[in-house]
């Protein structure tokens, strides 16, 4: 098993309650598309109130594109 940890900076996103936003993130390695099929992806979200929730249910991966729906 190979474990790769991406160093992704913290991004602050403000979304009013009831609104929905979709973000697409293209993943590359050395300038080439990085296939995400079969990878175990996880994400944590910290709310403005300091609560940390599991964000895995908000992620979808197709090819080398992550879709984050909040």
């Amino acid at each position: 098993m190979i474990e790769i940890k991406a160093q992704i900076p913290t991004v602050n996103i403000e979304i009013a309650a009831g609104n929905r936003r979709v973000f697409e993130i293209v993943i590359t390695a050395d300038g080439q598309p990085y296939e995400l099929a079969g990878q175990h992806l996880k994400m944590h979200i910290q709310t403005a109130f300091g609560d940390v929730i599991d964000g895995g249910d908000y992620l979808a991966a197709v090819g080398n594109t992550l879709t984050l729906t909040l």
Side-chain angles (χ1 to χ4, degrees):
M1 176 174 85
I2 298 172
E3 182 175 335
I4 299 172
K5 292 186 178 184
Q7 299 300 320
I8 300 172
T10 299
V11 177
N12 295 317
I13 301 170
E14 291 186 30
I15 300 173
N19 287 341
R20 179 179 166 175
R21 296 288 185 263
V22 176
F23 301 91
E24 288 187 346
I25 304 158
V26 176
I27 308 299
T28 61
D30 296 326
Q32 299 299 314
Y34 184 81
E35 180 61 48
L36 296 169
Q39 302 299 319
H40 176 74
L41 304 171
K42 61 183 178 178
M43 176 180 70
H44 292 106
I45 299 171
Q46 183 172 356
T47 69
F49 304 106
D51 300 321
V52 177
I53 59 174
D54 178 7
D57 291 340
Y58 302 103
L59 285 175
V62 175
N64 72 318
T65 302
L66 281 177
T67 301
L68 172 61
T69 303
L70 299 173

